[in-house]
Amino acid sequence: MGINILAMGNYIPEQKLKNDDFTRFIETNDEWIRTRTGIVERPMAGWEPTWYMGMKAAEAAVKKSGINVKDIGLVISCTATSDFLTPSMASVIQHKIGAVNAGAFDLNAACTGFVYALDTARRFVQTDENMKYVLVVANESLSRFLDFNDRGSCILFGDGAAAAIIEKSDKMYSSALRSDGSGADLLCARSLNVAPEIRQDAPDDFTDNFPDMPLHKLFQNGKEVYKFATSALPKSFTLAAEKIGVTKDDIDWFIPHQANVRIIETAAKKLGVSMDKFIVTLDHFGNTSSASIPLALNEGIEKGLIKRGQKLALIGFGAGLTYGGIILEY
Ligand code: UT7
């Protein structure tokens, strides 16, 4: 009941923000950022809209796969930083690449987005006889939602996109998706506001724990998210692994969400797995939200580290708070 990842592609904006660049507008330094996060530089979208990066990644994946783009039955874009509230990024990308026979929708599970989207795609190819290929695109422009006065968050994120084309296969597969919405206010960005004069009409039993903040600015409680992440990552693996009786020793590569190298190190320790089995791209990409797992996967494949037949564990966490894991054979 699994999938075959036929091909992947990516798009990385040329513009980079190095740690030292932040010293121009916040009190920080390269050493703090490197040692506390593992990040050295991160790509920043300039003129590129989110959909453009997704489209370029999708085109690269289609080209590599050798498939006819008209055989794509569905485009799923996972993004937390859509250019529009509507239309979906998926519809824009579907049109731009010429996937004229595909449906299209966006899926927002924040940084866990690719895990959710890949698992959703798997369910389509497994249950629809006519669905030959699904294109999953992770495209993110976190930089447009950052508060560049907040040194605890603005140094973490980068922009970019990665895409995968999948088809049905009988390869090993397991997944587990979870959410703990009690932590929804720990990592959020507001897209709409209720006008103050209308807000006062709210009934007494209405509560809104979300912090007051300007629209389209990311807020995070870094310490709490850190704590959550260090248990969510190992749990994401365990939940998916237990379903099919797989253990850490069966896994060739762990591809975690890239938020902070210390989070990954702690997760590796908790799982009892050497860091050598983890793909880490934080130094050059930073945290690209839902694009971080597929960018790391694609990089591992391109570097020749990840080989056909190997067993992979994709484990993520993010706003929501969401988390989840997929175990699959590449
Ligand atoms: O996709 C999920 C997205 N978010 C995350 O995954 C965030 C998870 N959290 C983290 O990665 C870490 O909590 C941070 C990197 C955000 C912060 O690291 P930390 O080790 O938890 O630092 P801290 O918040 O405990 O702050 C320690 C000190 C503070 O100074 P004082 O109060 O001790 O004087 C901060 O003000 O470091 C200060 N600090 C900085 N100093 C230099 C915070 N940010 C910076 C900075 N440069 N950029």
Side-chain angles (χ1 to χ4, degrees):
M1 291 293 277
I3 53 170
N4 180 40
I5 299 176
L6 261 176
M8 295 194 71
N10 74 5
Y11 179 84
I12 310 296
E14 255 177 46
Q15 188 170 257
K16 309 268 186 282
L17 211 50
K18 293 182 188 305
N19 289 347
D20 276 337
D21 295 330
F22 287 91
T23 60
R24 287 190 271 126
F25 48 89
I26 49 169
E27 214 182 305
T28 189
N29 56 77
D30 176 54
E31 212 245 324
W32 191 96
I33 302 174
R34 262 174 212 263
T35 54
R36 303 293 268 237
T37 71
I39 301 166
V40 178
E41 62 175 31
R42 67 291 282 142
M44 288 276 135
W47 59 268
E48 302 103 323
T50 305
W51 67 257
Y52 178 85
M53 297 192 291
M55 177 195 75
K56 295 303 272 185
E59 283 175 347
V62 170
K63 196 170 171 205
K64 262 193 233 164
S65 72
I67 67 163
N68 183 339
V69 74
K70 292 184 179 140
D71 288 334
I72 295 173
L74 181 66
V75 179
I76 306 175
S77 163
C78 52
T79 182
T81 54
S82 175
D83 297 303
F84 316 113
L85 290 173
T86 193
S88 68
M89 295 290 88
S91 281
V92 176
I93 293 164
Q94 168 268 318
H95 166 66
K96 296 274 183 193
I97 66 170
V100 291
N101 295 312
F105 65 87
D106 283 5
L107 179 159
N108 181 350
C111 305
T112 324
F114 188 74
V115 172
Y116 271 69
L118 199 61
D119 197 46
T120 305
R122 197 257 312 185
R123 288 162 203 273
F124 274 95
V125 289
Q126 283 290 349
T127 54
D128 184 343
E129 282 294 314
N130 297 313
M131 185 77 63
K132 234 169 148 180
Y133 308 115
V134 176
L135 168 67
V136 179
V137 189
N139 36 180
E140 301 281 12
S141 304
L142 265 294
S143 66
R144 301 209 165 91
F145 292 82
L146 293 179
D147 175 356
F148 280 96
N149 294 312
D150 177 12
R151 66 177 183 170
S153 64
C154 72
I155 48 106
L156 296 174
F157 297 95
D159 302 330
I165 291 172
I166 68 141
E167 63 183 352
K168 177 177 162 175
S169 103
D170 55 7
K171 288 181 185 177
M172 180 189 101
Y173 185 97
S174 178
S175 64
L177 307 179
R178 292 287 191 280
S179 171
D180 176 5
S182 70
D185 56 344
L186 297 178
L187 189 49
C188 49
R190 209 181 264 282
S191 62
L192 299 169
N193 239 337
V194 178
E197 61 274 22
I198 299 176
R199 224 194 288 179
Q200 70 194 14
D201 295 339
D204 292 342
D205 62 352
F206 172 79
T207 52
D208 177 352
N209 298 329
F210 293 92
D212 263 331
M213 55 192 178
L215 295 183
H216 311 146
K217 286 280 170 270
L218 188 86
F219 166 86
Q220 76 164 2
N221 180 329
K223 269 198 184 320
E224 287 304 316
V225 176
Y226 189 101
K227 260 194 261 169
F228 159 74
T230 52
S231 55
L233 272 188
K235 196 169 165 191
S236 296
F237 171 71
T238 311
L239 286 169
E242 281 175 353
K243 280 190 184 174
I244 51 167
V246 157
T247 75
K248 62 180 170 71
D249 301 322
D250 299 314
I251 303 298
D252 296 288
W253 292 104
F254 288 79
I255 300 118
H257 170 47
Q258 313 278 320
N260 185 324
V261 75
R262 292 185 296 136
I263 293 174
I264 299 175
E265 284 164 357
T266 307
K269 209 178 239 177
K270 283 189 179 175
L271 285 168
V273 175
S274 155
M275 273 297 281
D276 295 344
K277 280 194 165 188
F278 279 72
I279 306 269
V280 179
T281 59
L282 268 161
D283 57 338
H284 50 288
F285 290 153
N287 178 349
T288 54
S289 190
S290 74
S292 91
I293 290 179
L295 279 175
L297 175 59
N298 184 55
E299 187 174 296
I301 294 167
E302 283 188 344
K303 280 186 170 168
L305 299 168
I306 297 173
K307 298 183 180 67
R308 288 288 175 190
Q310 287 188 326
K311 314 276 189 306
L312 313 179
L314 279 47
I315 47 176
F317 69 90
L321 298 166
T322 54
Y323 56 108
I326 290 178
I327 290 166
L328 56 78
E329 180 185 326
Y330 176 60

